[in-house]
Amino acid sequence: MVNLMTSRFGFAVAASFGFSLACTKAPPPSPSPSANVVVDFPGTAAANRPLLLYSGRRGPDCDSFQASVANPTVTLTDVSFDPSCQVEIDAFAPGLGAWAQKIDPLVAGSETWFLNAIATGTLSITLPDLTAVPLRIWLVATPSEMTLAKGVRDDLLDKAYPILETMGTGLTLDTLSSDLNPAIVPKLCDDAPAMAGDATIYDSNRINVYFLANYGGVFDLTPAWNCWQEDHPEIVFISFENTHVPPPTLAHEVAHSLGLVHPNALGGHTNFEPGLFTPYNLMATNIDVLNISIGQLYALNFSSDSWLNRPGSTMTRPVVRTCQDVWGAGACAALTLFKSGWPP
Amino acid sequence: MATVTRARWTRMAALLCALGCRDVQGGLSPADQITVLRYLDCLDCIVALDSVRALALRQPDATVDSLNSALILGPPPQVVTAAESVLAIGYVRDSAWRLTRGLKPLEQRAIYINDARQGFVDAYQARGAMGMGWIRSPRARAYLDSALTRPLRAPVLRAVRYARDSLPPRPP
C-alpha cells in the first residue's frame, strides 16, 4: 500500500528544505515519493519461505543487502527511489532458484519495475526453478579401481544434492559421467591450462570433476583440490583412495568453482573464523554442512567469479557483480551475513 | 590474512583451543596450534600441510609432538560428540530429501552416524601420521615406528606405514 500521507509530507518537507538552501547551492535530487511495498512470493510455503535482500532507499537510509524472511510476505517500509542509492532486490528459497532484479543507472527504463512497485505498493516475486549446474564427472581409474571410484562419486553426490537443494543455494546438479584411462590424465592443477585445451579429457561446457586415485599421485595428500589459483576453477580433483573423503567434499569444491574463493588469502575457507562462521559452514566442515551464509548464497549465484557467470556463459543472471575480497560488505552481500531462523 | 590483527588472532586461537587443543599442546603458541588444527581438520589439505611443514622448521619437536598426539589420541571427545550431533542433523535432512525424490532410504541412523564418525576420527589420526611423514625428523620417525606397534585401526595403520616408508615422495 502506498503511504500517501507520509510521501506527501516527506515531499513537502524535502521541497521546503530544498527551497531554503536554494540561495546558497543547488538542492540534491529529490527521491521519489515513498511507500510501503508488500512483497509476495507465489508458489512458496512455510517449509520453503523465502529470504529477501533489499538494497535501496528506505526513509533517510540507503540500505545495502538488508535481509528479511517472508512470513509469508515481506513489507518494505518507507521505500523510495533515489538514483544515488543502488537498488537491487534478491530472493532465495529452499528448493527454488535464486531471483534478482536491479536498477542499472546506465540503462534507461530499468527503474520501471521499482517505480511500479512503489506506485502500487506491491511486488510479486516468482522464484524460478533450481539452476542445474552442469558437471562432467571423469572417473580416472583402472578397471580394478573403478568400483571404489564409483562408490566415492555416488557418496559425494548423495550429499551434494540435498545440501544444494535444501539450503537455499538455488542450485542443483546436472551430471554426466565418463571413464578415463589414468595414464592420459594429469594429476596436478599445474597442468590445468593444458587439460583445458584437450577435448578428450575436458568438457568446456561443464565443470570438470576428476575422480583420481590420489591428487599429485601421493597417497593421502589431500581429499580434493580445486584449480582456481591456476585460473581454472572449473577443474576439480577428488582423491578416491584418500583415507577419508568427507561427504561434503563435492559440494565444497563446486562452491569454489562458483565463486567462493574470497578472501583469496584463505581461498574462501571459513574454518577457524569464530564469531564470523561456525565450524559446520559449507566452506569449513569436513563432517557435514549445517549452514551457508547469505553472502555465500549471493556469491554462488551473482558473483562474476561464479563459473555460472563466466564470459560467454549462457546462464548469465540479471545481476552479476564483482565481489569484494573480504569477509565484510562491499559490492556484494557480506560473506558473513546470516539471518537467524533461515533457511527454515 | 591482512585484515585480522595479531591480537584478534591470538584471542581467536585461545578460544578455539579451549575447544579442541587437548592433543595439540606443549610448546606451540595458540596461533601455531591453530596451524596444526587446520591441517588435522582439512578438506583441501595442501596449503594446510605446507603451513604445518613450515611450522616444523621453526618448532620441530613441538609440531611433531602435536601431530603424534593427534595420531595416538584422535580428536578430543567433545569434538567427536559435536560431530555426532552434526551428522544426526544431516541424516534427517538427507533422509527427508531422499523421501521427496523417491530414492532408496539411507542406512539405519545408528549405522550411518557410527560409520561417518569413525571416518572422521580415522582421517584425523591419519593426518597426524602423514604430517610426521612429511616432516621426517628423527623424532617423527621414532613416533611412526612406535605407532606401528599400537592397536590402531587398519586405515590409520596404512597411513602410518605410508608415512614412514614412502614420504616424502622420491623424485621421479
Side-chain angles (χ1 to χ4, degrees):
Chain A
M1 171 190 294
V2 180
N3 188 336
L4 290 173
M5 290 286 286
T6 302
S7 64
R8 284 176 181 161
F9 176 72
F11 192 75
V13 169
S16 63
F17 185 64
F19 179 76
S20 71
L21 294 177
C23 295
T24 53
K25 64 178 189 177
S30 299
S32 69
S34 64
N36 294 344
V37 176
V38 178
V39 185
D40 70 339
F41 305 88
T44 64
N48 67 340
R49 66 180 52 170
L51 178 132
L52 181 138
L53 293 180
Y54 174 74
S55 300
R57 179 70 64 189
R58 282 181 82 176
D61 302 321
C62 182
D63 283 359
S64 183
F65 301 112
Q66 289 295 309
S68 305
V69 178
N71 186 26
T73 60
V74 171
T75 300
L76 300 170
T77 56
D78 207 6
V79 171
S80 60
F81 173 47
D82 176 352
S84 68
C85 178
Q86 173 183 292
V87 175
E88 177 177 328
I89 295 180
D90 315 282
F92 306 90
L96 292 168
W99 183 96
Q101 187 85 331
K102 70 173 181 180
I103 294 177
D104 185 342
L106 301 178
V107 177
S110 72
E111 73 280 13
T112 303
W113 67 275
F114 190 62
L115 293 176
N116 282 344
I118 292 172
T120 63
T122 62
L123 177 63
S124 195
I125 294 176
T126 302
L127 278 76
D129 290 338
L130 292 166
T131 297
V133 179
L135 297 191
R136 168 75 73 170
I137 291 175
W138 302 97
L139 296 166
V140 189
T142 63
S144 64
E145 295 169 333
M146 196 55 80
T147 301
L148 174 60
K150 287 181 177 175
V152 173
R153 173 199 64 185
D154 293 349
D155 287 348
L156 298 193
L157 285 171
D158 280 349
K159 184 59 72 176
Y161 275 106
I163 288 172
L164 293 173
E165 292 190 4
T166 69
M167 301 187 76
T169 68
L171 306 172
T172 184
L173 300 175
D174 165 26
T175 63
L176 285 177
S177 218
S178 307
D179 300 351
L180 279 178
N181 179 351
I184 66 167
V185 181
K187 299 180 174 64
L188 289 167
C189 281
D190 294 355
D191 298 309
M195 294 171 72
D198 184 346
T200 63
I201 60 170
Y202 177 87
D203 185 339
S204 60
N205 294 313
R206 290 173 174 264
I207 293 172
N208 291 263
V209 183
Y210 298 87
F211 283 77
L212 77 178
N214 291 290
Y215 180 78
V218 178
F219 173 67
D220 255 5
L221 179 62
T222 184
W225 200 246
N226 180 299
C227 302
W228 68 271
Q229 290 171 102
E230 288 76 16
D231 293 328
H232 284 281
E234 82 289 4
I235 293 182
V236 171
F237 291 99
I238 293 177
S239 307
F240 61 75
E241 270 196 359
N242 198 272
T243 301
H244 180 55
V245 183
T249 297
L250 181 61
H252 176 109
E253 298 304 330
V254 168
H256 281 311
S257 301
L258 301 182
L260 297 192
V261 294
H262 295 292
N264 283 168
L266 295 171
H269 293 124
T270 59
N271 37 346
F272 301 101
E273 295 293 328
L276 301 180
F277 297 93
T278 75
Y280 308 111
N281 179 263
L282 172 64
M283 301 313 289
T285 182
N286 65 353
I287 299 170
D288 204 340
V289 179
L290 293 195
N291 64 69
I292 307 172
S293 77
I294 296 164
Q296 289 172 322
L297 300 181
Y298 186 94
L300 289 168
N301 286 279
F302 304 127
S303 78
S304 57
D305 291 314
S306 174
W307 180 84
L308 296 173
N309 304 320
R310 70 198 184 284
S313 172
T314 57
M315 306 174 79
T316 303
R317 307 307 182 90
V319 172
V320 178
R321 296 194 183 278
T322 301
C323 294
Q324 62 278 10
D325 192 38
V326 295
W327 291 132
C332 302
L335 289 164
T336 53
L337 179 62
F338 286 91
K339 186 70 175 175
S340 179
W342 193 89
Chain B
M1 193 169 56
T3 57
V4 178
T5 64
R6 181 179 298 275
R8 183 184 160 218
W9 180 245
T10 303
R11 282 197 305 274
M12 201 160 67
L15 175 66
L16 280 159
C17 279
L19 298 171
C21 288
R22 177 198 68 173
D23 52 352
V24 184
Q25 80 299 60
L28 293 179
S29 70
D32 290 342
Q33 291 173 24
I34 292 295
T35 299
V36 176
L37 281 174
R38 277 184 188 276
Y39 172 61
L40 295 172
D41 285 339
C42 64
L43 197 156
D44 302 321
C45 296
I46 294 175
V47 171
L49 174 60
D50 285 346
S51 298
V52 166
R53 294 173 72 188
L55 175 61
L57 295 177
R58 292 191 286 112
Q59 301 270 0
D61 289 353
T63 304
V64 168
D65 288 351
S66 294
L67 292 167
N68 186 57
S69 293
L71 165 61
I72 301 305
L73 301 175
Q78 67 270 28
V79 171
V80 177
T81 301
E84 288 176 345
S85 300
V86 172
L87 291 165
I89 294 169
Y91 181 85
V92 171
R93 177 198 61 213
D94 295 358
S95 295
W97 179 84
R98 295 180 74 84
L99 189 63
T100 64
R101 294 294 182 282
L103 298 172
K104 192 178 81 172
L106 294 171
E107 60 218 309
Q108 287 183 0
R109 181 178 179 277
I111 296 171
Y112 173 94
I113 291 174
N114 186 61
D115 288 353
R117 181 196 60 220
Q118 195 60 65
F120 166 66
V121 173
D122 288 348
Y124 191 95
Q125 293 184 272
R127 296 254 167 76
M130 299 299 281
M132 287 193 285
W134 283 97
I135 293 168
R136 204 157 189 81
S137 63
R139 192 182 188 91
R141 291 183 63 130
Y143 279 143
L144 290 169
D145 285 340
S146 171
L148 283 175
T149 68
R150 292 175 176 266
L152 299 171
R153 279 171 44 82
V156 180
L157 279 174
R158 183 180 175 215
V160 172
R161 283 195 198 91
Y162 187 88
R164 189 189 68 165
D165 300 335
S166 305
L167 285 179
R170 313 294 181 267

